[in-house]
mmCIF file of all heavy atoms in Angstrom:
data_model
loop_
_atom_site.group_PDB
_atom_site.id
_atom_site.type_symbol
_atom_site.label_atom_id
_atom_site.label_comp_id
_atom_site.label_asym_id
_atom_site.label_seq_id
_atom_site.Cartn_x
_atom_site.Cartn_y
_atom_site.Cartn_z
ATOM 1 N N VAL A 99 100.470 94.985 34.697
ATOM 2 C CA VAL A 99 100.888 93.953 35.652
ATOM 3 C C VAL A 99 101.112 94.641 37.005
ATOM 4 O O VAL A 99 102.254 94.936 37.375
ATOM 5 C CB VAL A 99 102.192 93.245 35.207
ATOM 6 C CG1 VAL A 99 102.443 91.996 36.044
ATOM 7 C CG2 VAL A 99 102.192 92.913 33.727
ATOM 8 N N PRO A 100 100.039 94.918 37.744
ATOM 9 C CA PRO A 100 100.173 95.754 38.943
ATOM 10 C C PRO A 100 101.106 95.179 40.004
ATOM 11 O O PRO A 100 101.553 95.915 40.886
ATOM 12 C CB PRO A 100 98.732 95.851 39.467
ATOM 13 C CG PRO A 100 97.863 95.492 38.323
ATOM 14 C CD PRO A 100 98.642 94.561 37.452
ATOM 15 N N ASP A 101 101.431 93.892 39.906
ATOM 16 C CA ASP A 101 102.396 93.321 40.852
ATOM 17 C C ASP A 101 103.830 93.781 40.569
ATOM 18 O O ASP A 101 104.704 93.605 41.409
ATOM 19 C CB ASP A 101 102.376 91.783 40.776
ATOM 20 C CG ASP A 101 101.155 91.226 41.484
ATOM 21 O OD1 ASP A 101 100.474 92.000 42.188
ATOM 22 O OD2 ASP A 101 100.885 90.028 41.320
ATOM 23 N N THR A 102 104.047 94.297 39.389
ATOM 24 C CA THR A 102 105.398 94.729 39.016
ATOM 25 C C THR A 102 105.648 96.145 39.513
ATOM 26 O O THR A 102 105.248 97.128 38.888
ATOM 27 C CB THR A 102 105.582 94.660 37.488
ATOM 28 O OG1 THR A 102 105.281 93.335 37.065
ATOM 29 C CG2 THR A 102 107.024 94.991 37.110
ATOM 30 N N ILE A 103 106.322 96.226 40.657
ATOM 31 C CA ILE A 103 106.623 97.530 41.247
ATOM 32 C C ILE A 103 107.924 98.053 40.637
ATOM 33 O O ILE A 103 108.939 97.346 40.627
ATOM 34 C CB ILE A 103 106.795 97.432 42.778
ATOM 35 C CG1 ILE A 103 105.583 96.755 43.420
ATOM 36 C CG2 ILE A 103 107.036 98.825 43.373
ATOM 37 C CD1 ILE A 103 104.324 97.544 43.375
ATOM 38 N N ILE A 104 107.904 99.248 40.161
ATOM 39 C CA ILE A 104 109.080 99.847 39.529
ATOM 40 C C ILE A 104 109.900 100.616 40.551
ATOM 41 O O ILE A 104 111.118 100.476 40.599
ATOM 42 C CB ILE A 104 108.622 100.717 38.339
ATOM 43 C CG1 ILE A 104 108.157 99.767 37.238
ATOM 44 C CG2 ILE A 104 109.729 101.634 37.862
ATOM 45 C CD1 ILE A 104 107.475 100.404 36.092
ATOM 46 N N CYS A 105 109.246 101.407 41.361
ATOM 47 C CA CYS A 105 109.971 102.052 42.468
ATOM 48 C C CYS A 105 108.991 102.455 43.557
ATOM 49 O O CYS A 105 107.780 102.526 43.333
ATOM 50 C CB CYS A 105 110.800 103.237 42.000
ATOM 51 S SG CYS A 105 109.857 104.559 41.258
ATOM 52 N N LYS A 106 109.552 102.670 44.746
ATOM 53 C CA LYS A 106 108.767 103.050 45.930
ATOM 54 C C LYS A 106 109.397 104.291 46.534
ATOM 55 O O LYS A 106 110.623 104.334 46.716
ATOM 56 C CB LYS A 106 108.834 101.956 46.994
ATOM 57 C CG LYS A 106 108.163 100.665 46.610
ATOM 58 C CD LYS A 106 108.238 99.691 47.790
ATOM 59 C CE LYS A 106 107.566 98.368 47.406
ATOM 60 N NZ LYS A 106 107.486 97.451 48.550
ATOM 61 N N ALA A 107 108.568 105.258 46.883
ATOM 62 C CA ALA A 107 109.110 106.489 47.445
ATOM 63 C C ALA A 107 108.380 106.886 48.715
ATOM 64 O O ALA A 107 107.194 106.579 48.886
ATOM 65 C CB ALA A 107 109.007 107.621 46.423
ATOM 66 N N GLU A 108 109.110 107.542 49.608
ATOM 67 C CA GLU A 108 108.499 108.210 50.751
ATOM 68 C C GLU A 108 108.869 109.673 50.661
ATOM 69 O O GLU A 108 110.056 110.016 50.614
ATOM 70 C CB GLU A 108 109.022 107.612 52.062
ATOM 71 C CG GLU A 108 108.257 108.136 53.259
ATOM 72 C CD GLU A 108 108.885 107.713 54.570
ATOM 73 O OE1 GLU A 108 108.782 106.520 54.921
ATOM 74 O OE2 GLU A 108 109.490 108.586 55.236
ATOM 75 N N ILE A 109 107.850 110.514 50.636
ATOM 76 C CA ILE A 109 108.059 111.944 50.377
ATOM 77 C C ILE A 109 107.492 112.734 51.552
ATOM 78 O O ILE A 109 106.335 112.537 51.927
ATOM 79 C CB ILE A 109 107.327 112.380 49.082
ATOM 80 C CG1 ILE A 109 107.641 111.434 47.912
ATOM 81 C CG2 ILE A 109 107.636 113.836 48.763
ATOM 82 C CD1 ILE A 109 109.008 111.518 47.342
ATOM 83 N N LYS A 110 108.309 113.604 52.114
ATOM 84 C CA LYS A 110 107.833 114.494 53.177
ATOM 85 C C LYS A 110 107.605 115.886 52.591
ATOM 86 O O LYS A 110 108.538 116.501 52.059
ATOM 87 C CB LYS A 110 108.851 114.567 54.315
ATOM 88 C CG LYS A 110 108.364 115.438 55.464
ATOM 89 C CD LYS A 110 109.331 115.412 56.637
ATOM 90 C CE LYS A 110 108.887 116.415 57.695
ATOM 91 N NZ LYS A 110 109.873 116.520 58.782
ATOM 92 N N VAL A 111 106.369 116.343 52.706
ATOM 93 C CA VAL A 111 105.971 117.630 52.128
ATOM 94 C C VAL A 111 105.681 118.592 53.276
ATOM 95 O O VAL A 111 104.883 118.268 54.159
ATOM 96 C CB VAL A 111 104.697 117.455 51.275
ATOM 97 C CG1 VAL A 111 104.231 118.786 50.720
ATOM 98 C CG2 VAL A 111 104.932 116.450 50.156
ATOM 99 N N ALA A 112 106.315 119.737 53.259
ATOM 100 C CA ALA A 112 106.085 120.721 54.324
ATOM 101 C C ALA A 112 105.227 121.867 53.823
ATOM 102 O O ALA A 112 105.254 122.222 52.638
ATOM 103 C CB ALA A 112 107.412 121.261 54.835
ATOM 104 N N CYS A 113 104.479 122.430 54.737
ATOM 105 C CA CYS A 113 103.631 123.585 54.426
ATOM 106 C C CYS A 113 104.431 124.853 54.725
ATOM 107 O O CYS A 113 105.000 124.987 55.825
ATOM 108 C CB CYS A 113 102.388 123.504 55.302
ATOM 109 S SG CYS A 113 101.171 124.758 54.931
ATOM 110 N N ILE A 114 104.518 125.745 53.765
ATOM 111 C CA ILE A 114 105.285 126.986 53.949
ATOM 112 C C ILE A 114 104.442 128.194 53.542
ATOM 113 O O ILE A 114 103.420 128.057 52.872
ATOM 114 C CB ILE A 114 106.603 126.971 53.131
ATOM 115 C CG1 ILE A 114 106.312 126.705 51.643
ATOM 116 C CG2 ILE A 114 107.589 125.940 53.672
ATOM 117 C CD1 ILE A 114 107.539 126.846 50.744
ATOM 118 N N ASP A 115 104.921 129.366 53.950
ATOM 119 C CA ASP A 115 104.223 130.604 53.569
ATOM 120 C C ASP A 115 104.931 131.257 52.375
ATOM 121 O O ASP A 115 105.824 130.662 51.774
ATOM 122 C CB ASP A 115 104.094 131.545 54.770
ATOM 123 C CG ASP A 115 105.452 132.024 55.285
ATOM 124 O OD1 ASP A 115 106.453 131.940 54.531
ATOM 125 O OD2 ASP A 115 105.516 132.479 56.444
ATOM 126 N N ASN A 116 104.517 132.488 52.060
ATOM 127 C CA ASN A 116 105.075 133.157 50.874
ATOM 128 C C ASN A 116 106.577 133.419 50.971
ATOM 129 O O ASN A 116 107.227 133.684 49.962
ATOM 130 C CB ASN A 116 104.360 134.500 50.630
ATOM 131 C CG ASN A 116 102.947 134.303 50.102
ATOM 132 O OD1 ASN A 116 102.608 133.215 49.622
ATOM 133 N ND2 ASN A 116 102.124 135.323 50.209
ATOM 134 N N THR A 117 107.113 133.380 52.186
ATOM 135 C CA THR A 117 108.547 133.637 52.347
ATOM 136 C C THR A 117 109.320 132.340 52.599
ATOM 137 O O THR A 117 110.404 132.377 53.160
ATOM 138 C CB THR A 117 108.795 134.611 53.518
ATOM 139 O OG1 THR A 117 108.334 133.970 54.717
ATOM 140 C CG2 THR A 117 108.039 135.904 53.327
ATOM 141 N N PHE A 118 108.729 131.221 52.225
ATOM 142 C CA PHE A 118 109.371 129.907 52.359
ATOM 143 C C PHE A 118 109.535 129.478 53.827
ATOM 144 O O PHE A 118 110.279 128.548 54.105
ATOM 145 C CB PHE A 118 110.760 129.885 51.665
ATOM 146 C CG PHE A 118 110.677 129.806 50.160
ATOM 147 C CD1 PHE A 118 110.648 130.960 49.380
ATOM 148 C CD2 PHE A 118 110.617 128.570 49.515
ATOM 149 C CE1 PHE A 118 110.558 130.884 47.991
ATOM 150 C CE2 PHE A 118 110.545 128.493 48.136
ATOM 151 C CZ PHE A 118 110.512 129.648 47.371
ATOM 152 N N ARG A 119 108.846 130.146 54.765
ATOM 153 C CA ARG A 119 108.920 129.714 56.164
ATOM 154 C C ARG A 119 107.834 128.706 56.478
ATOM 155 O O ARG A 119 106.724 128.802 55.956
ATOM 156 C CB ARG A 119 108.772 130.933 57.096
ATOM 157 C CG ARG A 119 110.121 131.604 57.299
ATOM 158 C CD ARG A 119 110.073 132.696 58.345
ATOM 159 N NE ARG A 119 111.022 133.720 57.927
ATOM 160 C CZ ARG A 119 110.767 135.017 57.743
ATOM 161 N NH1 ARG A 119 109.573 135.498 58.020
ATOM 162 N NH2 ARG A 119 111.705 135.842 57.330
ATOM 163 N N PRO A 120 108.138 127.729 57.364
ATOM 164 C CA PRO A 120 107.138 126.719 57.722
ATOM 165 C C PRO A 120 105.901 127.364 58.335
ATOM 166 O O PRO A 120 106.006 128.348 59.055
ATOM 167 C CB PRO A 120 107.849 125.862 58.787
ATOM 168 C CG PRO A 120 109.293 126.189 58.690
ATOM 169 C CD PRO A 120 109.421 127.545 58.093
ATOM 170 N N GLN A 121 104.746 126.810 58.052
ATOM 171 C CA GLN A 121 103.529 127.237 58.742
ATOM 172 C C GLN A 121 102.668 126.002 58.971
ATOM 173 O O GLN A 121 102.804 124.989 58.283
ATOM 174 C CB GLN A 121 102.772 128.301 57.959
ATOM 175 C CG GLN A 121 102.179 127.843 56.632
ATOM 176 C CD GLN A 121 101.254 128.895 56.006
ATOM 177 O OE1 GLN A 121 100.527 129.572 56.722
ATOM 178 N NE2 GLN A 121 101.304 129.006 54.696
ATOM 179 N N ALA A 122 101.786 126.086 59.949
ATOM 180 C CA ALA A 122 100.896 124.968 60.243
ATOM 181 C C ALA A 122 99.972 124.707 59.057
ATOM 182 O O ALA A 122 99.593 125.636 58.339
ATOM 183 C CB ALA A 122 100.083 125.276 61.492
ATOM 184 N N LEU A 123 99.631 123.454 58.870
ATOM 185 C CA LEU A 123 98.650 123.118 57.841
ATOM 186 C C LEU A 123 97.320 123.772 58.211
ATOM 187 O O LEU A 123 96.839 123.619 59.342
ATOM 188 C CB LEU A 123 98.445 121.605 57.791
ATOM 189 C CG LEU A 123 99.584 120.773 57.198
ATOM 190 C CD1 LEU A 123 99.412 119.305 57.576
ATOM 191 C CD2 LEU A 123 99.612 120.928 55.681
ATOM 192 N N PRO A 124 96.707 124.479 57.290
ATOM 193 C CA PRO A 124 95.384 125.048 57.578
ATOM 194 C C PRO A 124 94.371 123.934 57.883
ATOM 195 O O PRO A 124 94.496 122.818 57.360
ATOM 196 C CB PRO A 124 95.010 125.757 56.283
ATOM 197 C CG PRO A 124 96.290 125.975 55.557
ATOM 198 C CD PRO A 124 97.195 124.856 55.958
ATOM 199 N N GLU A 125 93.398 124.251 58.705
ATOM 200 C CA GLU A 125 92.357 123.257 59.057
ATOM 201 C C GLU A 125 91.672 122.682 57.824
ATOM 202 O O GLU A 125 91.325 121.507 57.797
ATOM 203 C CB GLU A 125 91.291 123.916 59.939
ATOM 204 C CG GLU A 125 91.606 123.767 61.421
ATOM 205 C CD GLU A 125 90.532 124.418 62.284
ATOM 206 O OE1 GLU A 125 89.323 124.243 61.972
ATOM 207 O OE2 GLU A 125 90.915 125.096 63.261
ATOM 208 N N LYS A 126 91.482 123.531 56.821
ATOM 209 C CA LYS A 126 90.809 123.025 55.615
ATOM 210 C C LYS A 126 91.608 121.874 54.990
ATOM 211 O O LYS A 126 91.032 120.881 54.540
ATOM 212 C CB LYS A 126 90.633 124.159 54.596
ATOM 213 C CG LYS A 126 89.907 123.677 53.362
ATOM 214 C CD LYS A 126 89.486 124.779 52.419
ATOM 215 C CE LYS A 126 88.795 124.131 51.209
ATOM 216 N NZ LYS A 126 88.400 125.117 50.213
ATOM 217 N N VAL A 127 92.932 122.043 54.952
ATOM 218 C CA VAL A 127 93.787 121.002 54.369
ATOM 219 C C VAL A 127 93.710 119.729 55.215
ATOM 220 O O VAL A 127 93.490 118.621 54.698
ATOM 221 C CB VAL A 127 95.252 121.500 54.257
ATOM 222 C CG1 VAL A 127 96.179 120.383 53.800
ATOM 223 C CG2 VAL A 127 95.338 122.702 53.320
ATOM 224 N N THR A 128 93.889 119.888 56.520
ATOM 225 C CA THR A 128 93.839 118.730 57.419
ATOM 226 C C THR A 128 92.475 118.034 57.312
ATOM 227 O O THR A 128 92.392 116.803 57.235
ATOM 228 C CB THR A 128 94.070 119.194 58.872
ATOM 229 O OG1 THR A 128 95.198 120.072 58.880
ATOM 230 C CG2 THR A 128 94.352 118.031 59.774
ATOM 231 N N GLY A 129 91.435 118.846 57.289
ATOM 232 C CA GLY A 129 90.086 118.275 57.214
ATOM 233 C C GLY A 129 89.852 117.473 55.949
ATOM 234 O O GLY A 129 89.293 116.372 55.981
ATOM 235 N N LEU A 130 90.326 118.003 54.828
ATOM 236 C CA LEU A 130 90.078 117.312 53.559
ATOM 237 C C LEU A 130 90.967 116.089 53.388
ATOM 238 O O LEU A 130 90.591 115.126 52.719
ATOM 239 C CB LEU A 130 90.300 118.278 52.385
ATOM 240 C CG LEU A 130 89.176 119.294 52.179
ATOM 241 C CD1 LEU A 130 89.597 120.404 51.217
ATOM 242 C CD2 LEU A 130 87.930 118.590 51.634
ATOM 243 N N LEU A 131 92.159 116.120 54.002
ATOM 244 C CA LEU A 131 93.080 114.995 53.819
ATOM 245 C C LEU A 131 92.895 113.895 54.857
ATOM 246 O O LEU A 131 93.231 112.739 54.590
ATOM 247 C CB LEU A 131 94.532 115.490 53.843
ATOM 248 C CG LEU A 131 94.990 116.248 52.598
ATOM 249 C CD1 LEU A 131 96.398 116.802 52.791
ATOM 250 C CD2 LEU A 131 94.968 115.330 51.352
ATOM 251 N N SER A 132 92.384 114.235 56.036
ATOM 252 C CA SER A 132 92.367 113.235 57.112
ATOM 253 C C SER A 132 91.567 111.964 56.760
ATOM 254 O O SER A 132 91.950 110.876 57.191
ATOM 255 C CB SER A 132 91.892 113.854 58.430
ATOM 256 O OG SER A 132 90.608 114.380 58.289
ATOM 257 N N PRO A 133 90.503 112.042 55.960
ATOM 258 C CA PRO A 133 89.824 110.777 55.608
ATOM 259 C C PRO A 133 90.728 109.774 54.877
ATOM 260 O O PRO A 133 90.421 108.586 54.836
ATOM 261 C CB PRO A 133 88.683 111.219 54.687
ATOM 262 C CG PRO A 133 88.453 112.648 55.011
ATOM 263 C CD PRO A 133 89.770 113.210 55.436
ATOM 264 N N TYR A 134 91.813 110.256 54.307
ATOM 265 C CA TYR A 134 92.704 109.361 53.554
ATOM 266 C C TYR A 134 93.799 108.772 54.417
ATOM 267 O O TYR A 134 94.590 107.965 53.952
ATOM 268 C CB TYR A 134 93.370 110.138 52.409
ATOM 269 C CG TYR A 134 92.399 110.633 51.391
ATOM 270 C CD1 TYR A 134 91.852 111.907 51.467
ATOM 271 C CD2 TYR A 134 91.988 109.802 50.353
ATOM 272 C CE1 TYR A 134 90.944 112.361 50.521
ATOM 273 C CE2 TYR A 134 91.082 110.240 49.409
ATOM 274 C CZ TYR A 134 90.560 111.526 49.505
ATOM 275 O OH TYR A 134 89.667 111.959 48.570
ATOM 276 N N CYS A 135 93.863 109.188 55.670
ATOM 277 C CA CYS A 135 95.056 108.918 56.480
ATOM 278 C C CYS A 135 94.673 108.285 57.814
ATOM 279 O O CYS A 135 93.641 108.605 58.406
ATOM 280 C CB CYS A 135 95.773 110.243 56.741
ATOM 281 S SG CYS A 135 97.261 110.086 57.731
ATOM 282 N N GLY A 136 95.512 107.380 58.323
ATOM 283 C CA GLY A 136 95.275 106.784 59.629
ATOM 284 C C GLY A 136 95.681 107.671 60.791
ATOM 285 O O GLY A 136 94.985 107.750 61.807
ATOM 286 N N GLU A 137 96.786 108.385 60.640
ATOM 287 C CA GLU A 137 97.312 109.153 61.764
ATOM 288 C C GLU A 137 97.062 110.639 61.601
ATOM 289 O O GLU A 137 97.475 111.252 60.630
ATOM 290 C CB GLU A 137 98.827 108.941 61.866
ATOM 291 C CG GLU A 137 99.209 107.512 62.172
ATOM 292 C CD GLU A 137 100.708 107.409 62.400
ATOM 293 O OE1 GLU A 137 101.274 108.303 63.036
ATOM 294 O OE2 GLU A 137 101.292 106.424 61.928
ATOM 295 N N LEU A 138 96.442 111.237 62.602
ATOM 296 C CA LEU A 138 96.149 112.664 62.544
ATOM 297 C C LEU A 138 97.171 113.436 63.375
ATOM 298 O O LEU A 138 97.888 112.858 64.185
ATOM 299 C CB LEU A 138 94.733 112.910 63.063
ATOM 300 C CG LEU A 138 93.645 112.235 62.210
ATOM 301 C CD1 LEU A 138 92.283 112.636 62.702
ATOM 302 C CD2 LEU A 138 93.817 112.618 60.748
#
Side-chain angles (χ1 to χ4, degrees):
Chain A
V99 192
D101 284 349
T102 304
I103 307 291
I104 288 171
C105 61
K106 293 183 180 186
E108 189 188 288
I109 311 288
K110 182 175 174 186
V111 177
C113 186
I114 55 173
D115 64 19
N116 287 343
T117 63
F118 284 91
R119 275 187 213 125
Q121 66 171 323
L123 288 164
E125 268 180 43
K126 182 170 179 182
V127 174
T128 313
L130 284 167
L131 286 175
S132 59
Y134 296 93
C135 180
E137 296 186 40
L138 297 186

